Amino acid sequence: MIDFSVYGEQTPHISGYKCLKCGTIFYPAPMVCKGCDAHRDPVTGKHWEQFDLEGPCKLLTWTRVWNLPEGFNRKFLMFGMVEFPNGLRASGRIECVGDPVIGATMEASVIEADERPGAPVKVFQFS
Amino acid sequence: MSARIGIVGIGHCRFGNSSEYDLVDVIAYSANDAFRDAGGLHLRKEVDQVLVGNMAAGMFNHQTSVASALISRMDMEPCPAELVENGPASGASAIRLGYMAIASGMADVVLVAAGEVMRVVSGWEATNIVATMAHTEAEYNMGLTLPGFAGMFTRLYMEKYGMTERDLALVAVKDHDNGAKNIYSHVQLPVTIEAIADGENANVVNNYVAEPLRMYSTCPISDGSAAVILVNMDSPKAKLFPKKPIRIAGIASATDTHCVHNRKDPLVLDAVRISAEKAYKMAGVGPKDISLAELHDAFVIFELLNSEEVGFFERGKSFLGVRNRETEIGGRIPINTSGGLKAKGHPVGATGVSQVVELVRQLRGEAEEGRQVKDPKYGMAVNFGGFGNNVVTTILAKD
Ligand SMILES: [Zn+2]
């Protein structure tokens, strides 16, 4: 049995995935490449490359949610959808003062969040 | 020639709070109601297949194997029974699989019963459970919920097409008007545009849920059940059912990307459009033939987007149709005559069957006074699973 926990990272990252056969990129990870039908083995990762998805991105839309799910002891949270320069898109949280602007350039980073029970999870933060 | 499959019995409970009742009893209530409507409870012995629609009994009620439990509760052993889980489209998916069971020749009579009891948990927890349909790593873990996605959708649509928050409120007013007249509705109180948009206290009455979506743009959390009995209209068993069948003229489903951000245009709901196109083709009709439609409006924006994808309105124009009162009863294309998910309620697994029950009531001419559509011929239901990633469209015909 493989114990994945021994590979735990210090700084949280979220990966994009690149099929090395045809170059198509993905987020989140697929199990088959839509560009060339290559399969991805999640254990060996052979013929696929992982890269950090972070940095500048463009805000596509956003919302401020007031009825948060169980475990979120905050009045509200802002969420947004962004597009990276490589064309990949992602959804995540927004940290900013006031209302964000659609089309604005934001900076994507990754934090660990522990509002819900269980192990902390990786979360995109756009600011 | 494809099979002629019709609905000969319908059952429904009043949606609302059934949290003091057992989920299986709640589903059995509508199943019993459907048999009584079909001609008597003895007809349950004629059923060849039971399909149960439910989304999350394991999480809401700590109950699994709901189909097996229903069989025993209804004294229907040894009838085959399976659970169909397809998120909020579980109900319509169960009907579609029932149709396929009959079309395959393996069954002549199918009971489809669907239900959900959600109010046993807090609103926060219910929102969290429903959010588990999203992509675990890329959506759910971010803290995103269905209202969150709907808020982002609504903002995009407003930016692109010039719709206002008042337009959203107009849809809610229309839905609550219809829901107030429906004996099965969770919310049976009409609301005015003054109360939720124009008046000085509107921002308090109609507070933000996920900006720019407000409370009156969002369905309530409801419990409830609905059931239909499907029959092969050309089998000898059809003669056992006295009521004239309402025929399933078209039923189709389609899927879309699990992650909302992976769609080329987040405002385009391919699964709705494709499932509707397939259902139209199967029924041999088009958008202009539809007399009324139940469109999955867990959030008001869905009613608008769905009405565009199925061809009732051009893209970006549906809210203008609402302003012109085209979707009211008596309008060009009445939408959500039941009150929709907005007013009737949305017990997630039950909704798809509930929509079809409403169409049958309308096509039979049995809807309550004030919300009966005049002489309808075809009714359409769109049941939306996931965030538009698994959609079933059904077209019923009064022959
Ligand atoms: Zn490839």
Side-chain angles (χ1 to χ4, degrees):
Chain A
M1 192 187 280
I2 300 170
D3 179 3
F4 288 97
S5 65
V6 302
Y7 303 110
E9 301 162 336
Q10 295 306 308
T11 321
H13 292 285
I14 291 178
S15 292
Y17 290 78
K18 183 178 183 181
C19 168
L20 293 179
K21 279 193 184 149
C22 75
T24 308
I25 53 173
F26 298 85
Y27 169 73
M31 285 297 284
V32 58
C33 175
K34 69 177 172 189
C36 72
D37 300 333
H39 90 287
R40 185 182 66 86
D41 184 324
V43 179
T44 65
K46 217 170 148 189
H47 305 307
W48 286 74
E49 187 179 271
Q50 271 177 254
F51 56 93
D52 292 345
L53 204 51
E54 49 196 38
C57 52
K58 192 178 84 174
L59 184 67
L60 301 176
T61 183
W62 67 277
T63 184
R64 188 180 282 111
V65 177
W66 292 86
N67 64 335
L68 293 164
E70 183 88 57
F72 289 75
N73 299 316
R74 293 175 64 159
K75 217 165 154 187
F76 66 82
L77 256 180
M78 285 193 284
F79 294 94
M81 205 178 281
V82 300
E83 185 169 303
F84 292 94
N86 60 15
L88 289 181
R89 292 182 190 164
S91 301
R93 299 182 190 175
I94 295 176
E95 274 302 327
C96 75
V97 181
D99 287 356
V101 178
I102 289 181
T105 299
M106 305 196 84
E107 186 75 15
S109 56
V110 178
I111 57 164
E112 284 201 328
D114 60 357
E115 292 92 352
R116 289 191 174 105
V121 292
K122 292 170 194 166
V123 168
F124 271 125
Q125 185 165 280
F126 312 126
S127 51
Chain B
M1 192 185 120
S2 61
R4 292 194 315 139
I5 295 164
I7 296 170
V8 289
I10 53 172
H12 209 292
C13 70
R14 184 178 170 190
F15 284 179
N17 189 340
S18 309
S19 58
E20 70 268 40
Y21 297 103
D22 178 83
L23 168 71
V24 181
D25 284 350
V26 171
I27 298 175
Y29 177 96
S30 288
N32 275 331
D33 200 32
F35 283 119
R36 282 201 302 274
D37 177 68
L41 286 174
H42 61 286
L43 290 166
R44 76 191 188 284
K45 299 293 181 185
E46 304 299 332
V47 173
D48 304 306
Q49 171 73 54
V50 171
L51 291 169
V52 175
N54 173 268
M55 173 177 164
M59 283 189 274
F60 283 119
N61 317 101
H62 211 68
Q63 166 138 28
T64 57
S65 294
V66 179
S68 320
L70 181 71
I71 287 287
S72 238
R73 212 66 61 92
M74 296 283 298
D75 177 39
M76 289 178 71
E77 300 94 339
C79 182
E82 272 90 26
L83 176 73
V84 179
E85 193 274 286
N86 187 21
S90 298
S93 279
I95 294 177
R96 183 168 162 272
L97 293 174
Y99 185 102
M100 289 162 73
I102 295 176
S104 75
M106 291 180 77
D108 283 325
V109 182
V110 174
L111 167 68
V112 179
E116 204 85 48
V117 173
M118 309 169 72
R119 295 182 70 104
V120 284
V121 302
S122 69
W124 284 11
E125 209 177 330
T127 303
N128 194 29
I129 289 173
V130 172
T132 59
M133 73 175 90
H135 191 288
T136 306
E137 277 177 35
E139 295 177 336
Y140 176 83
N141 282 357
M142 302 293 162
L144 267 160
T145 56
L146 278 287
F149 278 116
M152 291 198 285
F153 255 61
T154 305
R155 188 180 302 283
L156 266 184
Y157 189 97
M158 287 167 71
E159 290 263 329
K160 191 163 180 185
Y161 298 116
M163 182 184 70
T164 64
E165 288 189 25
R166 190 177 191 275
D167 290 316
L168 295 171
L170 283 174
V171 181
V173 169
K174 183 264 297 171
D175 286 344
H176 279 286
D177 235 27
N178 295 343
K181 300 180 189 114
N182 183 352
I183 54 166
Y184 298 133
S185 273
H186 184 167
V187 184
Q188 297 189 344
L189 284 171
V191 295
T192 62
I193 194 71
E194 285 71 30
I196 64 169
D198 294 347
E200 62 182 78
N201 292 324
N203 284 346
V204 181
V205 175
N206 192 11
N207 56 297
Y208 278 126
V209 170
E211 298 175 26
L213 272 186
R214 293 174 180 272
M215 195 180 84
Y216 276 92
S217 316
T218 310
C219 69
I221 293 173
S222 313
D223 304 328
S225 63
V228 293
I229 297 166
L230 313 182
V231 167
N232 176 353
M233 291 163 66
D234 301 312
S235 80
K237 276 191 177 178
K239 294 181 180 62
L240 299 170
F241 297 88
K243 287 200 176 167
K244 192 175 182 319
I246 296 295
R247 189 169 54 87
I248 299 178
I251 186 159
S253 74
T255 52
D256 202 347
T257 65
H258 192 191
C259 284
V260 176
H261 66 243
N262 279 338
R263 297 176 196 161
K264 262 184 243 126
D265 180 346
L267 277 182
V268 174
L269 298 170
D270 277 339
V272 176
R273 195 190 69 251
I274 293 165
S275 71
E277 281 170 359
K278 285 161 75 178
Y280 281 135
K281 193 176 173 202
M282 184 173 168
V285 299
K288 287 194 168 57
D289 298 304
I290 303 296
S291 316
L292 74 145
E294 288 288 299
L295 303 180
H296 193 114
D297 58 328
F299 308 97
V300 163
I301 187 70
F302 286 174
E303 176 174 323
L304 298 170
L305 287 168
N306 286 336
S307 69
E308 296 171 11
E309 296 291 0
V310 304
F312 299 153
F313 296 98
E314 277 175 50
R315 207 172 280 287
K317 297 276 174 66
S318 56
F319 68 94
L320 300 174
V322 176
R323 282 186 198 169
N324 297 333
R325 310 180 73 162
E326 290 173 48
T327 58
E328 291 178 13
I329 289 160
R332 177 173 71 82
I333 173 70
I335 293 176
N336 288 330
T337 55
S338 69
L341 285 58
K342 177 70 209 77
K344 187 185 58 188
H346 183 26
V348 278
T351 283
V353 178
S354 168
Q355 291 177 314
V356 168
V357 167
E358 167 65 8
L359 296 183
V360 173
R361 293 178 79 202
Q362 287 282 355
L363 292 169
R364 283 179 178 174
E366 292 177 356
E368 293 86 348
E369 209 186 319
R371 62 173 209 90
Q372 173 67 51
V373 174
K374 199 172 164 236
D375 196 24
K377 300 282 191 298
Y378 290 95
M380 167 186 270
V382 171
N383 190 194
F384 203 79
F387 202 88
N389 57 34
N390 207 325
V391 179
V392 183
T393 299
T394 308
I395 296 173
L396 300 189
K398 183 172 87 175
D399 292 323

